[in-house]
Each structure stands twice: as structure tokens, then as C-alpha cells.
């Protein structure tokens, strides 16, 4: 239970996927302060967790873009604005706060805001459980992307074929770790540049790649793998098991949002059953069969402007045209 004083903002956005990031943009563009709470250690939602290496062709005005690059662009668009991103925080409770609107509590902090925008998609994208024999015996097994700088000089094993695994291996090697990357299949997923760098580092002997290989068990000092019918002991101070992410809606389901299965029903402007609480993106019932970025962005723009007016009744709902504004609003001190 967090004990620190609550952190205040005009608007709290729950979920740092594309819908949440664009909602944050629009609310901050209207001059409001915004905090985005994201369960994962990096923003981007499904785009960075599930398909950062894939090319998307149906974002309006962008003929083709890799999902990871689209997220980088969404973040660049936020950087001049009054938006704070809080990663590795799962929103767990939502309670009314008489004077201010709503209080959202995570395991780390309490956030008070005049309005809340729910952009939680399919749920918190949390790493899959580690199911490897001997995992409990190893002192340092992790399931999420590392802060590579912390691992310089350490011996590290990265397990997995997802794009995050290839990227983590390269970042850890660049930070001075002795890295082995292993996967049960021969190929790794990743954008072409990452895969080409991985091949360069492998050839140069700066990243050891064991694939295809079968991870038999973790031991207190590393792991035992079989490759080419040979048993290989790989020493490892730290083991990263990067096997992708599974959505978890359970923290939000007790919230009184008149749920329709895994959807939150939304009225005009993205309103939910709770005053001052809005819903956008894949979580919103109105999207239905159209779980698409273009739909999420449109819902985000509409709900953020309604939320802005809810918090600041002196504002018009209509944002006007950005092309007539001549620049970003100044950040508050
Ligand atoms: C493989 C794949 C390919 C796709 N390709 C396309 C495509 O080509 N074109 C297209 O238009 N769409 C595509 N989509 C769909 C698109 O990615 C989604 O419609 C979009 O990501 C929805 O955005 P969102 O922000 O609503 O949800 P999400 O992207 O799911 O983001 C929600 C975020 O909220 C966080 N969160 C959830 N609960 C909490 C909590 N309690 N506390 C804190 N954080 C929380 C999650 O961790 C997540 O980061 C694809 C989807 C997949 C899986």
C-alpha cells in the first residue's frame, strides 16, 4: 500500500498503449497536465509487447511503419508536452475523491486527477510465468526487459525468440555483459536492423548464440542446454526469460464500470458509467470488431477533449485545428 502523498494531475490515463498515448497528447495539447500509468516497463501496448518488428500499413497518412517506430513517434509527439509516463505500475483501484475527482492507486503510488481515461486495451501486458525446471534454484531469474547498464561485467543468459530477446541481448552486450542468447528454434524475431546487428555481434564473438537449443534446466550457477545432442553448461549470474506477454484485466474487473465481458460500455464522448471516467481503444465497447489503431486514435482524440472540458469547464469541447495554433502549448513549470 503506497504511503507517499498522492501525485496530482488534471488527467490520469491508465494504459500507455497507442490509445493512451494519443489521449495523453490531446489532453496535454489542450494545456492540461497528464500522468500515464503503464504496467509494462516500456510504453507502446500491444505494439511494443507483441509485434514491435511487424510493419503496419493502415495508420492514416503513414503508408508503412514498423510498430516499434510508430510508438517512438507517438512518444516524440508527447515530449514537448506536460505528460509524465509512469512505467511498471499496475493501476489497481479507482475511488471517487470528493474535491478532486478520482484517486487511482497502484502498488507504488496514489494519483489524484479530475478525470481518468481508461486505455487498458486487453489488460495489463504482463510477462509470461517462468516454467523451467530448476528456476527456483537460480538466484536471479527475470522476466522483463532489463536496464542494460546494471549488468555490465555480469554473465547473462537471455532465453527467448521474441523481438525483446534479440534486443536485450544486444543492449546487454553493449553495456559490457557477457551474453548468451538461446532459443528453441533456429531463428529470432526482430526488425531487420536488430537481426543484422545480432549476426554481426555473433560473428565477432561478442554475443554467443545457441539456437536451436533446448533449455533443460536452470542450476544455481546458470543453465543446462542441449544443442547438437551435446549437453552444454552455460554459466549465468542473471537469466532473462523473455517469452512474451499475456493480458491481465483482473485488476480492473472489480471497478464499477458496467462491464460487458472484457469491454467497458462507452457513451458519447467516451463516457463510462462513472462521471469523469472515459474509455478508449480496444477496451471500449463501441470499437467492437474494429480493434484498430485508427479507431483507437479517433476515440482517444474525442474522449481526451471531453475529459479536458470535464476538468476545466471553461474550455470548449472542440479543440480547434492544430494547424492554426502555431506551436505546442508551454509546459507548466
Ligand atoms: C499481432 C498484432 C498485430 C496488429 N496489427 C495491427 C495493424 O496492422 N493495424 C491496426 O490498426 N491494428 C493492429 N493491431 C491492433 C492494435 O495493436 C490495437 O488495436 C491497439 O494496440 C489498441 O490500443 P490500446 O491502446 O487500446 O490497447 P493496448 O495496445 O493493448 O495498450 C494497453 C496498455 O495498457 C496497459 N494496461 C492495461 N491494464 C493496466 C493497468 N491496470 N495498469 C497499468 N497499465 C495497464 C497494458 O500493459 C498496455 O500497455 C494488431 C494487434 C496485434 C496483437
Amino acid at each position: 500500500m503506497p504511503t507517499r502523498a498522492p501525485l496530482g494531475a488534471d488527467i490520469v490515463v491508465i494504459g500507455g498503449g497507442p490509445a493512451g498515448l494519443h489521449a495523453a497528447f490531446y489532453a496535454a495539447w489542450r494545456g492540461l497536465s497528464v500522468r500515464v500509468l503503464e504496467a509494462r516497463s516500456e510504453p507502446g501496448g500491444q505494439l511494443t509487447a507483441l509485434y514491435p518488428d511487424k510493419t503496419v500499413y493502415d495508420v492514416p497518412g503513414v503508408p508503412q511503419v514498423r510498430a516499434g517506430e510508430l510508438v517512438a513517434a507517438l512518444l516524440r509527439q508527447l515530449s514537448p508536452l506536460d505528460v509524465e509516463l509512469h512505467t511498471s505500475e499496475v493501476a489497481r483501484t479507482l475511488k471517487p475523491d470528493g474535491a478532486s475527482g478520482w484517486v487511482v492507486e497502484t502498488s507504488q503510488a496514489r494519483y489524484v486527477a479530475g478525470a481518468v481515461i481508461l486505455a487498458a486495451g486487453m489488460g495489463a501486458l504482463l510477462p509470461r510465468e517462468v516454467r523451467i525446471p530448476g528456476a527456483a534454484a537460480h538466484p536471479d531469474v527475470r522476466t522483463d526487459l532489463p536496464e542494460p547498464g546494471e549488468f555490465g561485467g555480469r554473465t547473462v543468459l537471455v532465453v527467448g525468440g521474441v523481438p525483446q530477446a534479440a534486443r536485450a541481448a544486444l543492449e546487454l552486450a553493449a553495456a559490457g555483459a557477457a551474453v548468451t542468447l538461446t532459443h528453441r528454434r533456429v531463428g529470432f524475431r526482430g526488425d531487420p536492423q536488430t537481426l543484422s546487428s545480432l549476426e554481426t555481434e555473433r560473428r565477432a564473438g561478442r554475443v554467443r548464440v545457441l539456437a536451436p537449443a533446448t533449455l533443460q534446466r536452470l542450476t544455481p550457477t546458470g543453465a543446462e542446454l542441449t544443442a547438437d545432442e551435446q549437453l552444454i553448461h552455460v554459466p549465468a549470474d542473471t537469466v532473462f526469460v523473455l517469452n512474451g506477454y499475456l493480458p491481465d484485466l483482473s485488476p480492473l474487473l472489480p471497478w464499477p464500470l458496467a462491464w460487458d465481458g472484457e469491454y467497458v460500455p462507452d457513451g458519447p464522448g467516451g463516457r463510462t458509467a462513472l462521471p469523469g471516467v472515459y474509455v478508449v481503444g480496444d477496451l471500449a465497447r463501441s470499437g467492437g470488431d474494429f480493434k484498430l489503431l485508427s479507431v483507437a486514435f479517433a476515440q482517444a482524440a474525442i474522449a481526451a477533449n471531453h475529459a479536458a472540458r470535464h476538468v476545466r469547464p471553461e474550455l470548449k469541447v472542440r479543440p480547434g485545428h492544430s494547424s492554426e495554433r502555431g506551436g505546442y502549448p508551454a509546459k507548466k513549470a
Side-chain angles (χ1 to χ4, degrees):
M1 180 72 70
T3 51
R4 279 187 289 154
L7 302 166
D10 291 320
I11 292 186
V12 161
V13 176
I14 298 175
L21 295 179
H22 193 54
F25 165 80
Y26 241 116
W29 178 253
R30 299 297 307 271
L32 277 72
S33 62
V34 183
R35 291 181 189 267
V36 180
L37 313 182
E38 169 53 47
R40 286 189 68 231
S41 58
E42 63 177 352
Q46 294 167 50
L47 286 81
T48 45
L50 305 183
Y51 61 105
D53 54 330
K54 293 210 163 116
T55 300
V56 177
Y57 299 91
D58 54 350
V59 176
V62 184
Q64 57 182 77
V65 61
R66 245 176 255 293
E69 286 164 14
L70 179 60
V71 173
L74 288 167
L75 292 172
R76 278 200 302 280
Q77 201 172 23
L78 291 184
S79 63
L81 295 169
D82 194 0
V83 177
E84 280 185 31
L85 199 53
H86 300 263
T87 52
S88 303
E89 292 202 35
V90 179
R92 299 202 177 279
T93 62
L94 173 75
K95 289 185 185 145
D97 177 84
S100 315
W102 293 97
V103 181
V104 178
E105 203 164 273
T106 71
S107 47
Q108 274 90 349
R110 292 171 73 222
Y111 298 88
V112 177
V116 172
I117 299 177
L118 300 169
M122 310 188 295
L125 294 164
L126 300 176
R128 285 173 194 271
E129 227 179 288
V130 176
R131 291 201 182 138
I132 301 172
H138 192 284
D140 193 15
V141 179
R142 302 174 188 225
T143 53
D144 216 343
L145 271 180
E147 260 309 313
E150 292 170 25
F151 297 90
R154 289 176 71 85
T155 306
V156 172
L157 174 66
V158 179
V159 181
V162 295
Q164 290 85 356
R167 202 170 88 211
L170 288 173
E171 289 176 359
L172 287 159
V179 181
T180 302
L181 172 65
T182 187
H183 181 40
R184 64 197 153 85
R185 300 214 177 95
V186 71
F188 292 88
R189 274 182 59 201
D191 61 75
Q193 200 185 334
T194 301
L195 296 182
S196 147
S197 302
L198 181 63
E199 182 56 15
T200 306
E201 297 303 287
R202 184 190 72 77
R203 282 172 193 254
R206 288 188 289 264
V207 174
R208 183 186 187 196
V209 176
L210 293 173
T214 306
L215 180 56
Q216 300 293 352
R217 65 187 60 78
L218 298 186
T219 67
T221 56
E224 284 176 1
L225 298 138
T226 43
D228 292 331
E229 297 180 9
Q230 303 276 322
L231 183 66
I232 305 168
H233 180 76
V234 179
D237 303 321
T238 302
V239 179
F240 291 102
V241 183
L242 303 179
N243 274 336
Y245 302 86
L246 285 176
D248 180 9
L249 258 186
S250 63
L252 305 188
L253 287 173
W255 298 11
L257 292 160
W259 290 87
D260 178 3
E262 75 268 34
Y263 295 109
V264 173
D266 50 328
R271 289 186 186 85
T272 68
L274 304 175
V277 178
Y278 300 81
V279 64
V280 295
D282 281 7
L283 186 64
R285 172 73 267 182
S286 66
D289 292 333
F290 296 91
K291 291 193 175 63
L292 290 174
L293 295 161
S294 48
V295 173
F297 290 146
Q299 290 168 327
I302 294 167
N305 281 291
H306 279 272
R309 180 172 161 92
H310 179 84
V311 176
R312 299 254 192 91
E314 72 277 14
L315 289 177
K316 289 183 178 151
V317 172
R318 275 195 205 171
H321 295 147
S322 71
S323 54
E324 280 157 25
R325 278 273 290 269
Y328 279 79
K331 257 189 192 180
K332 278 186 211 147

Short mmCIF file of all heavy atoms in Angstrom, two decimals, residues 180-186 208-216 223-234:
data_model
loop_
_atom_site.label_atom_id
_atom_site.label_comp_id
_atom_site.label_asym_id
_atom_site.label_seq_id
_atom_site.Cartn_x
_atom_site.Cartn_y
_atom_site.Cartn_z
N THR A 180 24.90 -14.80 -23.47
CA THR A 180 24.50 -15.93 -24.30
C THR A 180 23.01 -15.77 -24.58
O THR A 180 22.23 -15.49 -23.67
CB THR A 180 24.72 -17.27 -23.58
OG1 THR A 180 26.11 -17.37 -23.23
CG2 THR A 180 24.34 -18.45 -24.47
N LEU A 181 22.63 -15.92 -25.87
CA LEU A 181 21.22 -15.84 -26.27
C LEU A 181 20.82 -17.21 -26.78
O LEU A 181 21.52 -17.78 -27.63
CB LEU A 181 21.06 -14.79 -27.38
CG LEU A 181 19.69 -14.70 -28.07
CD1 LEU A 181 18.61 -14.25 -27.10
CD2 LEU A 181 19.77 -13.73 -29.25
N THR A 182 19.72 -17.73 -26.26
CA THR A 182 19.29 -19.05 -26.72
C THR A 182 17.80 -19.09 -27.02
O THR A 182 17.02 -18.33 -26.44
CB THR A 182 19.64 -20.13 -25.66
OG1 THR A 182 19.37 -21.42 -26.23
CG2 THR A 182 18.83 -19.98 -24.39
N HIS A 183 17.44 -19.97 -27.97
CA HIS A 183 16.04 -20.14 -28.35
C HIS A 183 15.87 -21.56 -28.88
O HIS A 183 16.82 -22.12 -29.43
CB HIS A 183 15.68 -19.11 -29.42
CG HIS A 183 14.27 -19.16 -29.88
ND1 HIS A 183 13.21 -19.37 -29.02
CD2 HIS A 183 13.71 -19.01 -31.13
CE1 HIS A 183 12.08 -19.35 -29.72
NE2 HIS A 183 12.36 -19.14 -30.98
N ARG A 184 14.66 -22.07 -28.70
CA ARG A 184 14.47 -23.46 -29.12
C ARG A 184 14.39 -23.60 -30.64
O ARG A 184 14.61 -24.67 -31.20
CB ARG A 184 13.25 -24.08 -28.45
CG ARG A 184 11.95 -23.45 -28.81
CD ARG A 184 10.86 -23.82 -27.80
NE ARG A 184 9.87 -22.79 -27.76
CZ ARG A 184 8.84 -22.70 -28.59
NH1 ARG A 184 8.65 -23.61 -29.51
NH2 ARG A 184 8.00 -21.70 -28.50
N ARG A 185 14.10 -22.49 -31.32
CA ARG A 185 14.09 -22.54 -32.79
C ARG A 185 15.37 -21.90 -33.32
O ARG A 185 16.06 -21.19 -32.59
CB ARG A 185 12.91 -21.76 -33.34
CG ARG A 185 11.59 -22.30 -32.88
CD ARG A 185 10.52 -22.15 -33.96
NE ARG A 185 9.29 -22.76 -33.48
CZ ARG A 185 8.32 -22.08 -32.89
NH1 ARG A 185 8.42 -20.79 -32.74
NH2 ARG A 185 7.24 -22.71 -32.46
N VAL A 186 15.58 -22.07 -34.64
CA VAL A 186 16.83 -21.56 -35.21
C VAL A 186 16.79 -20.04 -35.37
O VAL A 186 17.80 -19.35 -35.20
CB VAL A 186 17.17 -22.28 -36.55
CG1 VAL A 186 16.22 -21.86 -37.66
CG2 VAL A 186 18.60 -22.05 -36.95
N ARG A 208 27.13 -14.79 -27.68
CA ARG A 208 27.11 -16.22 -28.00
C ARG A 208 25.65 -16.61 -28.29
O ARG A 208 24.76 -16.30 -27.47
CB ARG A 208 27.64 -17.00 -26.80
CG ARG A 208 27.75 -18.49 -27.03
CD ARG A 208 28.15 -19.15 -25.72
NE ARG A 208 28.42 -20.55 -25.91
CZ ARG A 208 28.50 -21.42 -24.91
NH1 ARG A 208 28.32 -21.01 -23.66
NH2 ARG A 208 28.75 -22.68 -25.15
N VAL A 209 25.42 -17.22 -29.45
CA VAL A 209 24.06 -17.62 -29.80
C VAL A 209 23.97 -19.13 -29.85
O VAL A 209 24.74 -19.78 -30.56
CB VAL A 209 23.65 -17.01 -31.17
CG1 VAL A 209 22.26 -17.50 -31.57
CG2 VAL A 209 23.66 -15.48 -31.10
N LEU A 210 23.06 -19.68 -29.07
CA LEU A 210 22.82 -21.13 -29.08
C LEU A 210 21.38 -21.34 -29.55
O LEU A 210 20.43 -21.16 -28.78
CB LEU A 210 23.02 -21.72 -27.69
CG LEU A 210 24.45 -21.69 -27.14
CD1 LEU A 210 24.48 -22.15 -25.68
CD2 LEU A 210 25.37 -22.58 -27.98
N ALA A 211 21.21 -21.66 -30.84
CA ALA A 211 19.86 -21.86 -31.38
C ALA A 211 19.97 -22.66 -32.69
O ALA A 211 20.81 -22.29 -33.54
CB ALA A 211 19.20 -20.51 -31.64
N PRO A 212 19.22 -23.72 -32.82
CA PRO A 212 18.21 -24.20 -31.88
C PRO A 212 18.89 -24.94 -30.73
O PRO A 212 19.88 -25.61 -30.91
CB PRO A 212 17.36 -25.16 -32.71
CG PRO A 212 18.32 -25.67 -33.76
CD PRO A 212 19.29 -24.56 -34.03
N ALA A 213 18.31 -24.75 -29.56
CA ALA A 213 18.83 -25.43 -28.37
C ALA A 213 17.66 -25.66 -27.43
O ALA A 213 16.71 -24.89 -27.42
CB ALA A 213 19.90 -24.58 -27.70
N THR A 214 17.77 -26.71 -26.64
CA THR A 214 16.70 -27.00 -25.67
C THR A 214 17.21 -26.68 -24.28
O THR A 214 18.25 -27.21 -23.85
CB THR A 214 16.30 -28.49 -25.76
OG1 THR A 214 15.98 -28.77 -27.12
CG2 THR A 214 15.10 -28.79 -24.88
N LEU A 215 16.49 -25.80 -23.62
CA LEU A 215 16.86 -25.46 -22.25
C LEU A 215 16.35 -26.58 -21.34
O LEU A 215 15.14 -26.77 -21.20
CB LEU A 215 16.23 -24.12 -21.89
CG LEU A 215 16.49 -23.59 -20.48
CD1 LEU A 215 17.98 -23.48 -20.19
CD2 LEU A 215 15.82 -22.24 -20.30
N GLN A 216 17.28 -27.32 -20.75
CA GLN A 216 16.87 -28.47 -19.92
C GLN A 216 16.48 -28.02 -18.52
O GLN A 216 15.45 -28.40 -18.01
CB GLN A 216 18.02 -29.50 -19.83
CG GLN A 216 18.45 -30.06 -21.17
CD GLN A 216 17.36 -30.92 -21.82
OE1 GLN A 216 16.34 -31.22 -21.21
NE2 GLN A 216 17.55 -31.29 -23.08
N ALA A 223 22.72 -22.54 -16.47
CA ALA A 223 21.70 -23.37 -17.12
C ALA A 223 22.34 -24.53 -17.85
O ALA A 223 23.52 -24.45 -18.22
CB ALA A 223 20.92 -22.51 -18.12
N GLU A 224 21.54 -25.57 -18.03
CA GLU A 224 21.99 -26.69 -18.86
C GLU A 224 21.12 -26.74 -20.11
O GLU A 224 19.88 -26.73 -20.02
CB GLU A 224 21.87 -28.01 -18.09
CG GLU A 224 22.98 -28.16 -17.06
CD GLU A 224 22.82 -29.41 -16.21
OE1 GLU A 224 21.86 -30.18 -16.42
OE2 GLU A 224 23.66 -29.59 -15.31
N LEU A 225 21.81 -26.77 -21.27
CA LEU A 225 21.11 -26.78 -22.55
C LEU A 225 21.60 -27.95 -23.38
O LEU A 225 22.75 -28.37 -23.21
CB LEU A 225 21.46 -25.51 -23.33
CG LEU A 225 21.07 -24.19 -22.73
CD1 LEU A 225 22.16 -23.18 -22.88
CD2 LEU A 225 19.85 -23.69 -23.43
N THR A 226 20.75 -28.42 -24.28
CA THR A 226 21.26 -29.36 -25.27
C THR A 226 21.16 -28.73 -26.65
O THR A 226 20.13 -28.14 -27.02
CB THR A 226 20.49 -30.70 -25.27
OG1 THR A 226 19.10 -30.43 -25.14
CG2 THR A 226 20.92 -31.61 -24.15
N ALA A 227 22.28 -28.84 -27.38
CA ALA A 227 22.33 -28.36 -28.76
C ALA A 227 23.20 -29.36 -29.52
O ALA A 227 24.25 -29.77 -29.00
CB ALA A 227 22.94 -26.97 -28.82
N ASP A 228 22.77 -29.73 -30.70
CA ASP A 228 23.51 -30.74 -31.49
C ASP A 228 23.80 -31.99 -30.65
O ASP A 228 24.92 -32.53 -30.68
CB ASP A 228 24.83 -30.16 -32.01
CG ASP A 228 24.59 -29.09 -33.05
OD1 ASP A 228 23.55 -29.16 -33.74
OD2 ASP A 228 25.43 -28.16 -33.13
N GLU A 229 22.82 -32.37 -29.84
CA GLU A 229 22.90 -33.57 -28.99
C GLU A 229 24.01 -33.49 -27.95
O GLU A 229 24.42 -34.50 -27.39
CB GLU A 229 23.04 -34.83 -29.85
CG GLU A 229 21.80 -35.02 -30.73
CD GLU A 229 21.86 -36.25 -31.60
OE1 GLU A 229 22.77 -37.06 -31.42
OE2 GLU A 229 20.98 -36.36 -32.45
N GLN A 230 24.53 -32.31 -27.72
CA GLN A 230 25.56 -32.11 -26.68
C GLN A 230 24.90 -31.41 -25.49
O GLN A 230 24.08 -30.51 -25.68
CB GLN A 230 26.66 -31.16 -27.18
CG GLN A 230 27.37 -31.58 -28.44
CD GLN A 230 28.49 -32.55 -28.13
OE1 GLN A 230 29.17 -32.38 -27.13
NE2 GLN A 230 28.65 -33.57 -28.95
N LEU A 231 25.30 -31.82 -24.28
CA LEU A 231 24.84 -31.09 -23.08
C LEU A 231 25.84 -29.96 -22.82
O LEU A 231 27.04 -30.20 -22.72
CB LEU A 231 24.78 -32.04 -21.88
CG LEU A 231 24.24 -31.42 -20.60
CD1 LEU A 231 22.77 -31.04 -20.73
CD2 LEU A 231 24.42 -32.36 -19.41
N ILE A 232 25.32 -28.76 -22.74
CA ILE A 232 26.19 -27.58 -22.57
C ILE A 232 25.81 -26.89 -21.27
O ILE A 232 24.64 -26.61 -21.03
CB ILE A 232 26.02 -26.58 -23.74
CG1 ILE A 232 26.26 -27.29 -25.06
CG2 ILE A 232 26.95 -25.38 -23.60
CD1 ILE A 232 25.83 -26.45 -26.27
N HIS A 233 26.82 -26.60 -20.42
CA HIS A 233 26.55 -25.81 -19.22
C HIS A 233 26.87 -24.35 -19.53
O HIS A 233 28.00 -24.04 -19.93
CB HIS A 233 27.35 -26.31 -18.02
CG HIS A 233 27.06 -25.49 -16.80
ND1 HIS A 233 25.90 -25.64 -16.07
CD2 HIS A 233 27.73 -24.47 -16.23
CE1 HIS A 233 25.88 -24.75 -15.09
NE2 HIS A 233 26.99 -24.03 -15.17
N VAL A 234 25.90 -23.50 -19.37
CA VAL A 234 26.11 -22.06 -19.62
C VAL A 234 26.09 -21.34 -18.28
O VAL A 234 25.06 -21.32 -17.60
CB VAL A 234 24.99 -21.50 -20.53
CG1 VAL A 234 25.18 -20.01 -20.77
CG2 VAL A 234 24.94 -22.25 -21.84
#
